[in-house]
Amino acid sequence: MDIKTLLSSIHQTAETFDVSGISLNSNTLSKGDLFIALQGENSHGVEYIDSAIENGCVAVLIEGKDFECDVPTIRIDNLKTHLSKLAQNFYTKAKNVDLIAVTGTNGKTSVSHYISQLLDFLEVDNGVIGTLGISKVDKKSVNTTPDIFSIYSSLEEYWNQGIKLAIIEASSHALIQDRLEGLSFIQGIFTNLTQDHLDYHETMDNYREAKVKLFKNDFSKKAIINRDDESHQYFLDNASDKNPITFGLDDLEFFKNSENGFICQLNNYVFELPLVGEFNLSNAMAAYQSVKCLGYSDDQIIPFLAKLSPPPGRMQQLENSHIWIDYAHTPDALDNALSTLKTHYPEFKIRVLFGCGGDRDKGKRQIMGKIASETADSIILTNDNPRSEDPQSIVNDILAGTKVENDVQVILDRGDAIKSAVQTLGEEEALLVAGKGHETTQVIGSKTLQFSDIEVALNALN
């Protein structure tokens, strides 16, 4: 697309050249892309222009300052306010894709993937954009919800592939930062609201307002709300013009624990849901209601509930072991994961290994220490992603919530901690490795290192 056409109604320019894509990230742009240099939280995009040029950018749109380099630069004041218009001007087919958004503190990834799995079983091509990446396209994302251009370009690629429906995890950061601006959703789903990201939102009220934005105005046409969450009425009130429907555990006539998950009865159908944890019952009910709202019947949906499988790193049990890997990095998620193991394996002692992220919500650390003390029989504290913080300081914050009488070890090296936990696990012990789940990197200081809880645990087993 010619730059003049792209910038029509935004900025007049004398430049003439073609643009093959748009990128906010110098590391992921392709040859011929336009690089957007914005002021970020910690740095300005101008610091990455040389990298962008090396990777083939054709020109730079810049905000706030003039800059000369080896490719044309176009200064646009208040550039950040024009990102949605740029995305819509360039990726003209993106908005043709029907979209479902899932928001909430916990469960976004699982609900998104359960919806996707049910649609796969029903032979409906679909894509998922979220914590585990962007399915079915050759794009990478480091955030739960990618930047606006990654989303729009992925949706355009979906449409070109014949994929007409996508599920997007809508994080609170993305909703506040307008990464979904210009899009509309045929469904908005709310899972739950518990403490997280208060380093960014500062208060729970602000955090709740970020989530509820999905259900205001015309952002979502239909609202699906978890009535088991204590915040559900607030979300229902804000979605009252969308004829909201709810889901909850009492949608099931009954459920009871089984070795693999739960035996359930739903609308006179009896089946085994092969997912552990009541939180997964809730996630499955969210996915069921979502697909039902798309027009599918119980006869079509319910038999496939028995075929669902957890996403990678979500209460993922390592084969031939009593070891689970889970992404739990919030107080509520850690409590749910530990309670799940105690419920399904009442005869086992429970060992938990976790840490907390550096440069993030410090208030949850002591709470998570308390939860681990009250629920687990033994605790190993280790690094998560310490980032720029002192790892021992983070552990000390967690220790402030633990009980003295608990069996608590501190092994800061996460690899050593996992190896020790796996190799010393008793026959009647279950181990939860919590915090990183599917992730394949660890951030220590300024370095991003290759690291996988799953791989380390598997190697320790062999």
Side-chain angles (χ1 to χ4, degrees):
M1 177 179 291
D2 182 74
I3 188 66
K4 286 186 171 62
T5 303
L6 177 61
L7 295 182
S8 63
S9 76
I10 297 174
H11 182 83
Q12 298 297 314
T13 179
E15 299 283 356
T16 300
F17 53 83
D18 285 333
V19 173
S20 59
I22 309 175
S23 180
L24 287 161
N25 188 329
S26 64
N27 292 320
T28 59
L29 61 73
S30 300
K31 185 176 181 180
D33 282 357
L34 182 68
F35 179 56
I36 310 293
L38 295 178
Q39 175 63 57
E41 291 183 26
N42 301 310
S43 62
H44 196 291
V46 295
E47 299 174 28
Y48 305 95
I49 287 178
D50 287 344
S51 172
I53 293 172
E54 287 179 11
N55 290 328
C57 85
V58 69
V60 177
L61 297 189
I62 193 167
E63 177 183 61
K65 58 178 74 177
D66 293 320
F67 191 87
E68 292 186 4
C69 59
D70 293 338
V71 297
T73 60
I74 301 172
R75 174 178 170 174
I76 300 178
D77 291 333
N78 301 312
L79 176 57
K80 192 173 293 185
T81 65
H82 298 296
L83 300 187
S84 173
K85 187 62 177 176
L86 286 168
Q88 292 177 71
N89 283 354
F90 191 86
Y91 301 106
T92 58
K93 301 174 186 175
K95 294 177 71 172
N96 293 340
V97 180
D98 285 335
L99 301 176
I100 295 171
V102 185
T103 197
T105 306
N106 301 311
K108 295 185 296 295
T109 299
S110 293
V111 171
S112 297
H113 280 262
Y114 296 156
I115 294 170
S116 178
Q117 286 177 33
L118 290 174
L119 292 174
D120 285 341
F121 293 138
L122 292 165
E123 299 183 348
V124 178
D125 283 343
N126 67 91
V128 180
I129 299 175
T131 305
L132 299 184
I134 304 172
S135 70
K136 300 181 181 179
V137 299
D138 184 23
K139 293 184 184 297
K140 295 181 180 179
S141 174
V142 296
N143 297 317
T144 294
T145 313
D147 68 82
I148 189 169
F149 298 115
S150 296
I151 292 172
Y152 271 78
S153 63
S154 297
L155 294 177
E156 177 125 327
E157 196 164 336
Y158 281 160
W159 183 260
N160 290 337
Q161 290 182 36
I163 297 172
K164 299 180 180 179
L165 190 151
I167 308 103
I168 298 179
E169 293 183 46
S171 70
S172 57
H173 290 71
L175 289 164
I176 287 295
Q177 295 169 5
D178 295 326
R179 295 184 215 161
L180 300 170
E181 188 178 352
L183 300 174
S184 61
F185 299 87
I186 60 173
Q187 295 176 11
I189 302 172
F190 167 68
T191 60
N192 50 63
L193 186 74
T194 61
Q195 182 175 332
D196 199 15
H197 302 307
L198 296 192
D199 57 301
Y200 181 81
H201 297 290
E202 297 184 344
T203 69
M204 285 298 293
D205 284 347
N206 290 343
Y207 184 37
R208 183 182 64 177
E209 285 305 305
K211 296 291 189 186
V212 86
K213 185 177 178 181
L214 179 63
F215 303 95
K216 291 184 175 181
N217 303 320
D218 296 325
F219 217 176
S220 300
K221 295 179 182 177
K222 185 72 176 178
I224 302 175
I225 308 294
N226 178 12
R227 65 177 174 274
D228 291 335
D229 187 82
E230 62 182 20
S231 300
H232 81 278
Q233 191 59 53
Y234 187 79
F235 283 80
L236 284 172
D237 291 344
N238 279 276
S240 59
D241 60 332
K242 306 179 194 312
N243 295 315
I245 64 170
T246 64
F247 65 91
L249 294 185
D250 61 6
D251 288 340
L252 296 158
E253 281 86 21
F254 78 81
F255 60 88
K256 63 179 181 180
N257 296 336
S258 67
E259 184 175 345
N260 298 315
F262 297 94
I263 303 298
C264 306
Q265 182 173 329
L266 176 62
N267 298 343
N268 297 319
Y269 291 82
V270 178
F271 61 96
E272 183 176 39
L273 184 73
L275 305 168
V276 297
E278 286 193 8
F279 60 92
N280 261 324
L281 279 175
S282 179
N283 293 335
M285 289 301 95
Y288 160 74
Q289 289 291 358
S290 172
V291 177
K292 193 168 184 177
C293 283
L294 294 176
Y296 294 92
S297 67
D298 283 352
D299 287 346
Q300 293 172 296
I301 304 169
I302 294 178
F304 292 129
L305 292 174
K307 296 185 177 183
L308 293 177
S309 60
R314 301 308 192 274
M315 287 309 286
Q316 179 179 345
Q317 184 177 10
L318 301 187
E319 192 172 358
N320 300 319
S321 78
H322 290 107
I323 300 169
W324 279 262
I325 310 294
D326 192 69
Y327 189 53
H329 61 281
T330 68
D332 183 61
L334 184 65
D335 190 26
N336 283 333
L338 288 170
S339 298
T340 291
L341 293 183
K342 288 186 75 71
T343 298
H344 286 269
Y345 297 89
E347 72 281 11
F348 278 61
K349 289 187 175 181
I350 307 299
R351 179 182 296 184
V352 61
L353 182 153
F354 74 103
C356 288
D359 304 329
R360 299 293 186 269
D361 184 0
K362 293 183 179 181
K364 69 183 181 182
R365 296 173 186 173
Q366 184 172 341
I367 299 171
M368 292 175 72
K370 183 173 186 290
I371 288 168
S373 274
E374 292 175 345
T375 314
D377 298 288
S378 62
I379 303 167
I380 299 177
L381 297 180
T382 188
N383 279 340
D384 189 283
N385 292 315
R387 301 184 177 89
S388 70
E389 280 197 69
D390 173 40
Q392 186 62 53
S393 177
I394 296 171
V395 166
N396 290 343
D397 288 342
I398 302 171
L399 283 169
T402 59
K403 297 177 182 178
V404 175
E405 62 266 26
N406 268 87
D407 177 8
V408 182
Q409 286 181 276
V410 175
I411 305 175
L412 290 179
D413 185 286
R414 192 175 181 92
D416 290 344
I418 293 173
K419 291 172 189 174
S420 175
V422 169
Q423 292 172 353
T424 61
L425 196 67
E427 289 186 4
E428 293 189 352
E429 278 189 294
L431 170 64
L432 173 69
V433 179
K436 293 180 65 59
H438 66 283
E439 292 180 352
T440 57
T441 61
Q442 185 179 29
V443 184
I444 300 176
S446 60
K447 296 181 179 179
T448 299
L449 309 174
Q450 291 299 307
F451 188 91
S452 164
D453 283 0
I454 297 170
E455 288 184 8
V456 173
L458 286 173
N459 287 336
L461 274 172
N462 297 327

